[in-house]
Amino acid sequence: MEKMWQGLGVVPGIAIGRVKLVSADLTAALEQYTAGSRDEENAKLTAALATADAELGRLAAQARQAGQPGQAEIMEAHQAMASDPELLADTGAKISQGIPAPQAVLAATKEFAAIFSGLDDPYFQERAADLRDIGRRIARILTGGETLDFGSGPVVLCAEEIEPSLAAAMPAGQVVGLVLGQGSRTSHTIIIAKAQGIPAVAGLGAAAAALPEGAEIVIDGYNGQVLLNPPAGKLAEMQAKIAAEQELRQQDGMLADLPAVTQDGRTVQLAANIGGPADMAAALKQGCEGVGLFRSEFLFMGREHPPDEEEQFNAYRRVIEQCGDKPCIIRTMDIGGDKPLPYLHIGKEDNPFLGLRAIRVSLAEPALFLTQLKAILRAGVYGRAAVMLPMVISEGEIRRARQYLGQAGAELEQQGKAYAPAVELGIMIETPAAAVMASELAGECDFFSIGTNDLVQYTLAVDRGNTAVSGLYSHFHPAVLRLIDGVIKAAHARNVWVGMCGEMAGDPLAAPLLTAMGIDELSMSAPLIPRVKAVIRQLKLSDATAVLTRALSQNDPQAVQSLLTDFLAGSRRPD
């Protein structure tokens, strides 16, 4: 019997396959496990940790070979978490109390995960899933449990929660979709699915794990619909859409070496968001024109001490050199209470997203900030480097940062080190305060980059990681569109160029609006570049301007999306 559920589309695309239930239940394996002495259990744990490290290392290496550096970094982060001293000490303490090694590691990771889940922060909540994944992996190794058999033919994995390491091991071409009871666009499992181009729907709750094994299922990652046992007519319709998607991807891939220019000559630079040098090969293959967001915080995370000037310099230089004559915009460390680092000693905060983070940390830790600025200035000798400050809300923050930039140059001069003396300084517009003060802030910097992920959250007071309210999160909300339009106008009035580096930048549906608003650059995950480029190359600026006028007069995001969908489909042109 046909049945339909409405979830949250988290990775766009359509998939047809058979239901493959994924269970993380280790009950049977734990019941059959025979425990030894405490020394023997500790020895088993040590061996299991080594095996887990090797497995995760192999998954990371495979991801890098497949051109998926983001997925590789997730697996490497799992390696680091599995060897965390506090986690291992807690596990060892439980074994010393007579608890068998598998139960000890599960209990320890569950306790740590509970701490993360209880924090009012999507980043921490999603890392709880990583901890549970690590615990189950080690317990599976200890009990001799088997890995998931994916069966044959195209399958859609269905579960309350799918572990990131399982997602990383999905056989290419066989797993065609994911249905999750929980999860958000920023969970590691979803990040991996997006990198592999696997459509996903989340937010189905307990229904995701109760779907009948082997039943035919269709998922629509665009609108979040899940259809079980579809009728023949519906199945044919969705198969036709999949074929059209595949043809479109092939056509888009042929545009890699062409610019994103409208039919009447308006050019938009398309750049890539990256987390490190390893991401550049895949980004260049997709036709990126430089880097619009280098997330430098990844260099600072997962370690006991901050990276020194030389390490940072080498990382920045490698990316800048690969950018050639295109810009490489390096965001200074966007870290704080939401991404705790052992060497920062930031106290517990009730709401870390509104606490000591980003530019506030940099200005509070001048030695750390100066080291990063000196590394960027030195790397700037090898191309077009730019410094971008996150979470700015005032002119004073920019002025202080510019003073530190000058100090960094002066220190390099004294040390006799080569550096770029004229590196551009820009800021992210990611709070309503910055958007409203755009004209004043533009007078203090060289460029803007609109960070829509936080701007939408703060403007709409919606936590996009909370499935209970994430449906309210939309960058097509009229309030958000009007803020963005105002920011671009204010910046251009002061001769400051404007880019965008949030999720909206990679949304093809938003491309006509942003192009008409006059955006100068869009920076996105590299796989999204070809589709956005194709949309821009099909546009006439006059048509895009007309649809922008109509979009800005709408009262709700759904109306805006419908308008844009019709516009791009060509079924209706603006008057």
Side-chain angles (χ1 to χ4, degrees):
M1 179 182 294
E2 176 188 359
K3 191 170 183 180
M4 196 269 284
W5 290 266
Q6 181 64 52
L8 176 68
V10 288
V11 180
I14 297 168
I16 301 173
R18 296 285 175 180
V19 172
K20 181 64 182 178
L21 294 177
V22 178
S23 174
D25 188 7
L26 291 170
T27 303
L30 292 172
E31 289 175 349
Q32 295 171 12
Y33 178 78
T34 302
S37 68
R38 293 174 186 178
D39 288 344
E40 288 172 335
E41 291 302 286
N42 278 311
K44 290 178 186 176
L45 176 64
T46 300
L49 290 169
T51 300
D53 183 74
E55 288 180 353
L56 292 167
R58 186 164 55 252
L59 288 172
Q62 290 170 353
R64 291 204 183 279
Q65 290 171 2
Q68 297 164 346
Q71 178 175 319
E73 288 171 358
I74 292 171
M75 292 301 95
E76 288 162 355
H78 276 215
Q79 281 183 292
M81 295 171 76
S83 60
D84 179 79
E86 290 188 33
L87 179 62
L88 297 182
D90 192 26
T91 304
K94 293 183 187 306
I95 291 175
S96 69
Q97 296 168 7
I99 300 175
Q103 287 90 335
V105 74
L106 286 172
T109 51
K110 182 179 179 180
E111 289 171 4
F112 275 72
I115 294 171
F116 279 67
S117 296
L119 297 173
D120 186 19
D121 182 333
Y123 179 87
F124 282 141
Q125 292 167 359
E126 287 155 8
R127 298 303 75 79
D130 294 325
L131 281 164
R132 289 191 292 269
D133 182 1
I134 290 164
R136 286 192 287 259
R137 172 177 290 275
I138 298 169
R140 174 184 56 77
I141 294 168
L142 284 163
T143 59
E146 297 181 355
T147 55
L148 178 68
D149 179 7
F150 291 96
S152 60
V155 296
V156 175
L157 301 187
C158 304
E160 181 72 16
E161 178 180 272
I162 292 176
E163 301 164 355
S165 61
L166 174 60
M170 293 185 295
Q174 186 175 359
V175 176
V176 296
L178 303 180
V179 175
L180 305 173
Q182 55 183 309
S184 72
R185 292 182 176 91
T186 54
S187 73
H188 277 164
T189 294
I190 296 306
I191 290 170
I192 291 170
K194 188 178 295 183
Q196 296 188 18
I198 297 175
V201 174
L204 263 69
L211 294 168
E213 181 85 18
E216 191 162 38
I217 189 170
V218 176
I219 71 168
D220 189 332
Y222 295 105
N223 59 25
Q225 289 184 350
V226 174
L227 186 62
L228 190 70
N229 298 320
K234 185 66 174 179
L235 193 61
E237 176 190 339
M238 302 308 276
Q239 287 170 335
K241 287 185 177 181
I242 291 174
E245 277 187 339
Q246 292 172 343
E247 183 179 354
L248 198 60
R249 279 195 293 269
Q250 291 177 345
Q251 294 173 355
D252 293 347
M254 298 171 65
L255 303 176
D257 298 327
L258 299 176
V261 56
T262 65
Q263 293 182 18
D264 38 10
R266 170 82 168 86
T267 300
V268 180
Q269 180 183 345
L270 300 188
N273 295 343
I274 69 167
D279 295 357
M280 279 305 294
L284 290 169
K285 186 177 179 180
Q286 298 289 355
C288 78
E289 301 171 280
V291 170
L293 172 62
F294 185 150
R295 298 183 178 95
S296 71
E297 55 268 18
F298 287 119
L299 297 174
F300 292 79
M301 298 169 65
R303 54 196 302 162
E304 294 297 316
H305 304 284
D308 61 19
E309 180 185 320
E310 205 63 27
E311 181 182 346
Q312 292 188 61
F313 160 69
N314 287 325
Y316 303 148
R317 173 181 173 176
R318 286 170 59 194
V319 173
I320 290 168
E321 286 179 329
Q322 291 182 79
C323 287
D325 62 349
K326 304 299 182 184
C328 175
I329 299 175
I330 302 170
R331 180 173 69 186
T332 57
M333 49 186 182
D334 187 5
I335 51 182
D338 62 316
K339 303 182 184 82
L341 302 176
Y343 49 83
L344 276 182
H345 307 296
I346 296 176
K348 183 183 181 302
E349 297 177 322
D350 290 335
N351 193 338
F353 272 126
L354 302 181
L356 186 59
R357 60 172 292 205
I359 186 60
R360 300 166 188 174
V361 171
S362 293
L363 296 178
E365 299 280 349
L368 207 60
F369 193 31
L370 281 168
T371 297
Q372 180 169 36
L373 293 176
K374 289 166 72 174
I376 295 172
L377 291 178
R378 288 176 59 197
V381 172
Y382 299 90
R384 292 179 56 190
V387 175
M388 183 162 67
L389 309 174
M391 202 57 67
V392 168
I393 61 170
S394 70
E395 297 168 85
E397 291 168 325
I398 306 173
R399 292 178 189 141
R400 288 181 63 194
R402 194 177 287 281
Q403 289 173 352
Y404 281 122
L405 192 61
Q407 182 180 338
E411 290 183 10
L412 290 171
E413 186 78 33
Q414 291 175 353
Q415 295 165 359
K417 295 179 179 178
Y419 70 98
V423 168
E424 286 191 328
L425 179 66
I427 66 170
M428 291 190 71
I429 302 293
E430 49 190 338
T431 67
V436 172
M437 295 286 290
S439 180
E440 291 80 1
L441 297 177
E444 300 291 338
C445 61
D446 301 307
F447 66 90
F448 286 166
S449 185
I450 302 172
T452 54
N453 296 359
D454 277 342
L455 182 61
V456 174
Q457 284 198 124
Y458 293 139
T459 301
L460 304 183
V462 171
D463 175 4
R464 66 192 179 121
N466 184 339
T467 55
V469 297
S470 57
L472 300 174
Y473 176 96
S474 173
H475 46 242
F476 292 115
H477 193 289
V480 175
L481 295 180
R482 292 170 195 173
L483 278 179
I484 292 171
D485 189 47
V487 166
I488 295 172
K489 285 183 170 65
H492 286 172
R494 303 294 293 265
N495 294 316
V496 167
W497 69 266
V498 187
M500 177 178 286
C501 59
E503 281 186 6
M504 186 179 188
D507 187 344
L509 208 57
L513 299 184
L514 298 172
T515 302
M517 288 178 185
I519 199 80
D520 299 293
E521 175 241 46
L522 294 171
S523 189
M524 64 201 74
S525 176
L528 303 176
I529 291 174
R531 179 87 292 260
V532 173
K533 183 182 291 187
V535 169
I536 292 173
R537 289 180 61 86
Q538 293 169 1
L539 289 176
K540 285 185 179 179
L541 191 58
S542 56
D543 290 341
T545 301
V547 83
L548 170 64
T549 300
R550 293 180 61 185
L552 291 174
S553 68
Q554 302 300 314
N555 295 321
D556 67 81
Q558 289 75 26
V560 174
Q561 286 180 268
S562 296
L563 174 68
L564 292 170
T565 300
D566 289 343
F567 173 70
L568 289 183
S571 61
R572 182 172 73 235
R573 293 295 182 189
D575 299 328

